[in-house]
Amino acid sequence: MKKQKISLIVMFTLVSVVSVTAMTQAYAQSTSDGMDGYVKGTSGIYTGNPHECWYSDEDGNMLPCRIDTGDTAWMLTATSLVLLMSPGVAIFYGGLARSKNSVNVFGMVLVIMGVAAMQWLTFGYSLAFGPNYEPGNAFLGSLDYVGFNNVSHYAPLGTVGSCQDTWSAAYQMNEMVDADQCSQDWPGTIPHMLFAAFQGTFAIITPILIIGAVVDRMKFSAVLIFVIVWSTFVYYPVAHWIWGGGFMADGTLDLDPSLSPSFVLDFAGGAVVHITAGFAALAAALVLGRRMGLGKLPMEPHNIPMVVIGAGILWFGWFGFNPGSEVMVDGISVSTWMATNIAAGTATVTWVLLSWAHTGKPSIIGAATGTIAGLGTITPASGWVGPMGALIIGIAAGAVCYGAVAYKNAKKWDDALDVWGVHGMGGLTGTILAGTLASPHIWDTGDGIGAWTGTAEGMEQQSIQIIGAAITVGYTLAVTFGILKVMDLVWPGGIRVTPREEDIGLDLAQHGERAYVNE
Amino acid sequence: MKRLETIVKSDKLSQVVNAIRSAGAKGVTVTSIKGQGSGERPMLRSGRGTAQIRAEYNMMDSIMTVVDDSEVSNVVSAISQAAYTGKSGDGIIIVTDVDQVVNIASKKTDSSAL
């Protein structure tokens, strides 16, 4: 019975992969524009995607617009930095878990990295960032980019125009080119595929954050299916709303069109990544129920050095996550780096002082948790606030998330590794504070006017932030709750392991492996 | 022949083993153990530093040694001196009779086996 189930899953995976690949190939070859010239110059690379920037030379060949090599080198680096955060989460969560479940924690992270990468290729990128046509779908992207079809590894996104007249020309080497060979839009200086890769690393880490809530008790098979379904119904839509041109970005939430703020400020994913992951974790913890023996057994972290190393890797990787979200190199990438570092450091100190005052000793697990809280909280605001704003956000992160973790423990919600308290409440705090502390001194366009300026624009931005965050929280809680309830009903035996397996530990019960073997 | 099982706090291990050896025991066997007893267990941070819990166990070491009857009081007083702080939780010494000791290599028994 069990073997049949596994072979069915393997078969299903293989069939889907093969059919999607075949479909992609067939679809790519049906592109009429330029694909008839496979061997003629560079025409074979032409995707025919009107949303990408291509220009025609005198012979009629379509050539990719100029990219900026500096921007592209930085974004390749930033993308790799963000990907490193996923193993960082594995080390952080693995250290926080009990030793009998730590292989399961590491394993869930590693395998989700694979699943989410495949899913991003097959349809994830398309649902999140696929182009919308008039009248436009404000809730989900189109299927144009399924299988990375129409996604060029040469051409940037945007419309073609003069290189000396791009909005970012002041910062770009391309300004020296006297030709109509440059993208006029953002992100217009790196290849489209690199943008897809960068966003893919976010789609990978977000479901990985959730597993902190389900450790010790969810079936491995159920986790994999949950991640696929959750990404489809929560992550891709929310990413589309805020980053892909959906209703939180297109002016639907513009309360007063005569004032400049019109969209939700979420620089690097406070709502898209941290609110969705954190509140999905809360829903998952409530659906799964408490771990056996909670409150009777001490379920303390099994390896504190691992927790600190994991936090360190995350802090490092976050310099790709936040500054990379500018998707180019300019003053905002620099400002974002600084805000990220200040908030992380301040939240670490805030948390350790709170725990010192509260329990009599400075907890180092607390310090590491404070680091993550600071990083999660600054994420939406990182590109919008100045260094002193980041300091305030760091203090707020430490205080709010500390309170949330203590509240969760008092309520006995078994969000085992505090995903809700740290990421959910951190992302919510940061998304709201981005509207409070955003400074018009950061962007040369004058975007980002927070409530602290005391202007009507600032008040409007503050309201937009609160509405956007509230919609994201409500949507995530409702949909995640629904997904898990349905899965629990239809899954043979439920999505939770048996009490016996829970006693043994998921390492042996689910994987037949032990974390620490002394032989 | 007597078997002495001494349970002490882990931080006293080296001093106690030195004392046992100086008092004339031929060898010791040390096991890391966890235990509960009269000694106070430490408070640990819990809930990411938002709370405290009492540790479930004290981390202790058990030192086993076998000595001739004549040496027992010697060794016991050496251990008591080395591990003494005067607070509850310093540990205990358990003395039991030994029927036989066999040296695996030489096949000698009892005192000459040690």
Side-chain angles (χ1 to χ4, degrees):
Chain A
M1 179 61 200
K2 204 160 191 183
K3 274 184 184 156
Q4 279 176 334
K5 211 164 72 184
I6 292 167
S7 44
L8 266 176
I9 292 172
V10 172
M11 285 281 284
F12 178 74
T13 315
L14 283 176
V15 168
S16 349
V17 169
V18 171
S19 51
V20 167
T21 314
M23 192 172 72
T24 314
Q25 286 306 310
Y27 198 59
Q29 281 163 19
S30 75
T31 307
S32 54
D33 219 343
M35 287 306 284
D36 50 344
Y38 269 119
V39 289
K40 187 181 163 200
T42 56
S43 57
I45 63 170
Y46 182 50
T47 56
N49 179 353
H51 301 276
E52 287 176 355
C53 183
W54 298 86
Y55 68 93
S56 167
D57 69 2
E58 55 272 21
D59 299 330
N61 291 319
M62 293 305 283
L63 297 171
C65 288
R66 290 177 179 272
I67 58 167
D68 186 286
T69 49
D71 284 357
T72 304
W74 156 241
M75 288 312 295
L76 280 167
T77 311
T79 304
S80 310
L81 278 171
V82 183
L83 196 74
L84 181 66
M85 290 169 70
S86 292
V89 173
I91 298 170
F92 185 74
Y93 282 177
L96 286 173
R98 290 180 288 173
S99 63
K100 68 178 179 182
N101 295 312
S102 55
V103 169
N104 177 248
V105 171
F106 275 87
M108 285 195 283
V109 171
L110 185 64
V111 178
I112 292 173
M113 283 174 78
V115 170
M118 288 163 68
Q119 200 185 351
W120 190 246
L121 161 77
T122 45
F123 61 89
Y125 177 59
S126 201
L127 289 189
F129 289 93
N132 287 142
Y133 303 100
E134 294 305 323
N137 181 350
F139 298 98
L140 209 53
S142 64
L143 290 174
D144 282 15
Y145 296 158
V146 163
F148 280 0
N149 191 34
N150 290 323
V151 177
S152 173
H153 48 294
Y154 283 97
L157 285 162
T159 42
V160 64
S162 163
C163 288
Q164 295 175 322
D165 193 29
T166 67
W167 63 274
S168 61
Y171 320 113
Q172 300 289 334
M173 298 294 283
N174 288 348
E175 194 198 5
M176 296 169 192
V177 178
D178 183 15
D180 285 358
Q181 298 175 356
C182 289
S183 164
Q184 304 299 301
D185 301 307
W186 178 94
T189 53
I190 64 163
H192 183 187
M193 187 174 280
L194 182 51
F195 179 72
F198 180 69
Q199 295 299 342
T201 60
F202 286 61
I204 288 170
I205 196 170
T206 308
I208 285 174
L209 293 174
I210 303 172
I211 63 150
V214 307
V215 295
D216 294 10
R217 59 202 191 283
M218 191 164 169
K219 286 177 185 164
F220 188 73
S221 53
V223 167
L224 296 185
I225 301 300
F226 167 68
V227 162
I228 294 172
V229 178
W230 185 85
S231 296
T232 308
F233 290 103
V234 180
Y235 185 78
Y236 303 152
V238 175
H240 186 75
W241 299 349
I242 297 180
W243 289 338
F247 75 92
M248 292 198 191
D250 68 1
T252 309
L253 295 185
D254 195 352
L255 302 170
D256 183 351
S258 67
L259 300 175
S260 64
S262 66
F263 57 90
V264 175
L265 301 181
D266 186 0
F267 191 77
V272 178
V273 174
H274 295 285
I275 289 183
T276 59
F279 282 85
L282 180 62
L286 294 178
V287 173
L288 276 172
R290 294 178 192 132
R291 289 169 289 173
M292 279 164 38
L294 181 76
K296 297 188 194 101
L297 302 173
M299 297 183 172
E300 290 306 304
H302 93 281
N303 192 327
I304 297 178
M306 223 183 236
V307 174
V308 176
I309 294 169
I313 292 176
L314 283 165
W315 192 334
F316 176 69
W318 232 289
F319 292 135
F321 199 93
N322 286 357
S325 290
E326 175 64 355
V327 199
M328 57 188 284
V329 177
D330 60 6
I332 291 160
S333 344
V334 176
S335 162
T336 306
W337 195 103
M338 186 51 76
T340 303
N341 199 42
I342 289 171
T346 310
T348 308
V349 173
T350 306
W351 196 299
V352 91
L353 289 179
L354 282 171
S355 111
W356 210 334
H358 192 168
T359 71
K361 284 183 178 157
S363 162
I364 298 308
I365 293 177
T369 310
T371 308
I372 308 305
L375 290 163
T377 308
I378 193 64
T379 296
S382 54
W384 302 103
V385 300
M388 290 307 290
L391 187 85
I392 297 170
I393 287 179
I395 295 169
V400 170
C401 299
Y402 186 95
V405 169
Y407 179 77
K408 177 223 81 172
N409 287 335
K411 282 279 183 190
K412 293 205 185 305
W413 296 338
D414 199 9
D415 171 9
L417 308 182
D418 291 308
V419 189
W420 171 75
V422 174
H423 293 280
M425 289 308 287
L428 182 61
T429 307
T431 305
I432 292 170
L433 284 182
T436 315
L437 296 168
S439 166
H441 303 306
I442 304 299
W443 284 59
D444 54 358
T445 57
D447 282 329
I449 303 170
W452 72 277
T453 58
T455 58
E457 280 95 346
M459 298 307 159
E460 190 194 11
Q461 188 65 62
Q462 183 69 79
S463 314
I464 294 175
Q465 294 301 110
I466 293 171
I467 295 168
I471 293 173
T472 313
V473 167
Y475 179 82
T476 306
L477 274 178
V479 176
T480 311
F481 208 80
I483 292 172
L484 283 166
K485 276 287 183 199
V486 170
M487 277 183 71
D488 201 29
L489 278 178
V490 301
W491 208 266
I495 54 175
R496 186 166 172 155
V497 297
T498 63
R500 172 98 183 105
E501 286 184 302
E502 199 174 331
D503 241 355
I504 296 168
L506 300 195
D507 289 7
L508 268 178
Q510 290 273 300
H511 303 282
E513 288 169 313
R514 285 198 187 103
Y516 303 99
V517 184
N518 299 311
E519 50 192 13
Chain B
M1 304 288 292
K2 297 281 187 191
R3 178 181 189 272
L4 272 62
E5 189 181 352
T6 308
I7 295 173
V8 293
K9 288 225 172 95
S10 294
D11 53 329
K12 288 285 183 192
L13 177 66
S14 298
Q15 282 144 285
V16 172
V17 170
N18 282 337
I20 294 173
R21 299 281 281 149
S22 311
K26 297 278 173 29
V28 293
T29 302
V30 179
T31 319
S32 294
I33 57 168
K34 300 188 268 195
Q36 295 183 345
S38 59
E40 197 193 8
R41 284 171 276 131
M43 295 303 291
L44 300 178
R45 306 311 91 182
S46 111
R48 314 288 171 266
T50 62
Q52 305 187 65
I53 51 161
R54 178 78 60 192
E56 207 174 7
Y57 300 106
N58 268 318
M59 307 306 279
M60 312 285 283
D61 282 308
S62 161
I63 305 150
M64 196 272 280
T65 184
V66 176
V67 294
D68 279 327
D69 291 1
S70 58
E71 290 171 22
V72 170
S73 61
N74 229 351
V75 175
V76 167
S77 70
I79 295 171
S80 311
Q81 227 164 31
Y84 181 79
T85 67
K87 291 182 192 132
S88 60
D90 277 354
I92 52 171
I93 307 167
I94 305 159
V95 184
T96 45
D97 283 326
V98 173
D99 287 345
Q100 198 183 21
V101 182
V102 181
N103 185 304
I104 294 170
S106 64
K107 311 289 184 238
K108 287 177 181 165
T109 55
D110 297 339
S111 288
S112 42
L114 296 172

